[in-house]
Amino acid sequence: MEFSSKLLERAVNEMSQLPGIGKRTALRLVLHLLKQPKEQSAMLADALQTMRNDIKFCKSCNNISDLELCEICSNPNRDETLVCVVEDIRDVMAIENTSSFKGLYHVLGGKISPMDGVGPHDLNIQSLVKKVEEGKIKELIFALSSTMEGDTTNFYIYKQIQKYNIFTSTIARGISVGDELEYADEITLGRSIVNRVPFESSLKS
Amino acid sequence: MEFSSKLLERAVNEMSQLPGIGKRTALRLVLHLLKQPKEQSAMLADALQTMRNDIKFCKSCNNISDLELCEICSNPNRDETLVCVVEDIRDVMAIENTSSFKGLYHVLGGKISPMDGVGPHDLNIQSLVKKVEEGKIKELIFALSSTMEGDTTNFYIYKQIQKYNIFTSTIARGISVGDELEYADEITLGRSIVNRVPFESSLKS
């Protein structure tokens, strides 16, 4: 792609560094900014830079926060003996939206994925093990995605904390609410039968 | 969508102002930036802001340029009597990629579209009419998209320059190279038959 301006080329190149944004999309976005008032670009640039420089991570759960301790961790109404292990803060937001979890979170910051060069030491696993070691946690819920990497990460953490003898669980896998059985994959359907729940308990939620 | 940080929320909101970027995508992009070194956000922010503040438009054709006169307009090998009218600089780039046009361009900056509040005076039509008036142009090629708005814009310009008696043409509409006839829409197929070209001339390109 040849550009008539170096400034344009640089903006497109930087923009296309973002995941899922190719050169063509980047050009479309940049040309859009050119049509808008200068303030919009200035605000976007400032928001991104301020965010990157000033953002803090909760020192307990590693969730993104403006304070030392995030709102969830500092909420006295939440059950600190119940900790849900998630990949990133999007999962925290998704679970919070369901309003069905009243414990705390622990954000790993990714999954163990040797293919992408992510090992256990790139994730916030040690701080989780330390929390378990301190004996505050009664139950750990694994809520990672159900992939090879997710399962590996679950298992790695499980091995690390096994000796502390706390209860560990994993979120239920099964047919989505509203889905038709005939279109479900075999593994999901199989698990949903093996891990069936009493009918009465399904009436409650 | 509830955010655990105001900084994050602001960055996501600004990002989601861009066309085709919703809140979820914006969050994904912003979280990606958080995982990258601070320099990447700084470079992106700087590239966008510098681009928006310092970019120039060629004073002749309105193409984006780092100079007063863009590379195409200042190239003595190009035919300045042949001018191709396009919507925006992406079209210039697309036509330049074909290497089949040796004239100059005139970038309108959009199409007449009352629905979006874009009238003739929001586009660079007056400067085009002035160029025609000065008598330098022999042929004007309309290369706008083949939509209601594109046709309206073509016709508006045509009416403005009709009295100067220059030759106007429009790019050929027809079946794309490599396309199968049976899948073509009727209007395109109809036009491609009405505007058929001598077989010998199709052998050349």
Side-chain angles (χ1 to χ4, degrees), chain B residues 1-62:
Chain B
M1 212 180 240
E2 275 191 42
F3 293 94
S4 54
S5 151
K6 292 273 169 232
L7 291 169
L8 181 70
E9 183 168 9
R10 191 175 149 230
V12 169
N13 283 342
E14 286 297 331
M15 202 66 142
S16 62
Q17 302 280 317
L18 295 172
I21 309 269
K23 288 260 165 132
R24 266 166 196 272
T25 310
L27 179 61
R28 192 164 53 85
L29 298 179
V30 167
L31 289 180
H32 170 84
L33 282 176
L34 271 183
K35 282 193 186 172
Q36 303 297 314
K38 284 189 182 177
E39 289 72 37
Q40 190 177 333
S41 306
M43 298 239 296
L44 172 61
D46 181 61
L48 291 179
Q49 210 164 0
T50 318
M51 187 265 316
R52 186 62 188 84
N53 288 333
D54 299 348
I55 217 156
K56 291 189 190 75
F57 293 90
C58 170
K59 64 175 181 180
S60 172
C61 72
N62 197 43

Side-chain angles (χ1 to χ4, degrees), chain B residues 15-188:
Chain B
M15 202 66 142
S16 62
Q17 302 280 317
L18 295 172
I21 309 269
K23 288 260 165 132
R24 266 166 196 272
T25 310
L27 179 61
R28 192 164 53 85
L29 298 179
V30 167
L31 289 180
H32 170 84
L33 282 176
L34 271 183
K35 282 193 186 172
Q36 303 297 314
K38 284 189 182 177
E39 289 72 37
Q40 190 177 333
S41 306
M43 298 239 296
L44 172 61
D46 181 61
L48 291 179
Q49 210 164 0
T50 318
M51 187 265 316
R52 186 62 188 84
N53 288 333
D54 299 348
I55 217 156
K56 291 189 190 75
F57 293 90
C58 170
K59 64 175 181 180
S60 172
C61 72
N62 197 43
N63 189 4
I64 287 173
S65 167
D66 290 336
L67 306 161
E68 280 253 296
L69 214 58
C70 76
E71 280 179 27
I72 297 171
C73 287
S74 57
N75 184 343
N77 294 325
R78 305 205 54 140
D79 182 0
E80 58 171 7
T81 65
L82 183 62
V83 170
C84 182
V85 181
V86 293
E87 257 173 71
D88 73 17
I89 81 136
R90 274 180 294 175
D91 303 324
V92 173
M93 289 167 75
I95 298 177
E96 281 298 287
N97 274 342
T98 68
S99 311
S100 62
F101 180 66
K102 291 293 162 215
L104 304 183
Y105 296 93
H106 187 88
V107 182
L108 294 178
K111 302 174 280 203
I112 296 173
S113 172
M115 292 281 280
D116 304 314
V118 182
H121 298 288
D122 300 314
L123 306 176
N124 304 303
I125 293 180
Q126 277 320 304
S127 56
L128 176 64
V129 174
K130 214 179 136 215
K131 270 195 235 174
V132 173
E133 210 175 56
E134 285 166 1
K136 280 185 210 153
I137 303 175
K138 285 185 187 152
E139 179 177 351
L140 210 59
I141 307 173
F142 291 120
L144 303 197
S145 34
S146 175
T147 58
M148 176 91 92
E149 290 84 11
D151 289 347
T152 308
T153 314
N154 284 343
F155 194 68
Y156 180 88
I157 299 175
Y158 177 72
K159 279 283 168 197
Q160 299 275 309
I161 59 162
Q162 209 176 7
K163 57 183 168 191
Y164 302 109
N165 238 336
I166 64 166
F167 182 66
T168 49
S169 60
T170 169
I171 54 169
R173 309 289 177 188
I175 310 294
S176 292
V177 177
D179 260 15
E180 308 226 15
L181 246 66
E182 58 175 321
Y183 300 119
D185 66 289
E186 292 152 27
I187 300 176
T188 304

Side-chain angles (χ1 to χ4, degrees), chain A residues 131-145:
Chain A
K131 270 195 235 173
V132 174
E133 211 174 54
E134 287 166 0
K136 281 185 213 154
I137 304 174
K138 285 187 187 152
E139 179 177 352
L140 210 59
I141 306 172
F142 291 119
L144 304 196
S145 34

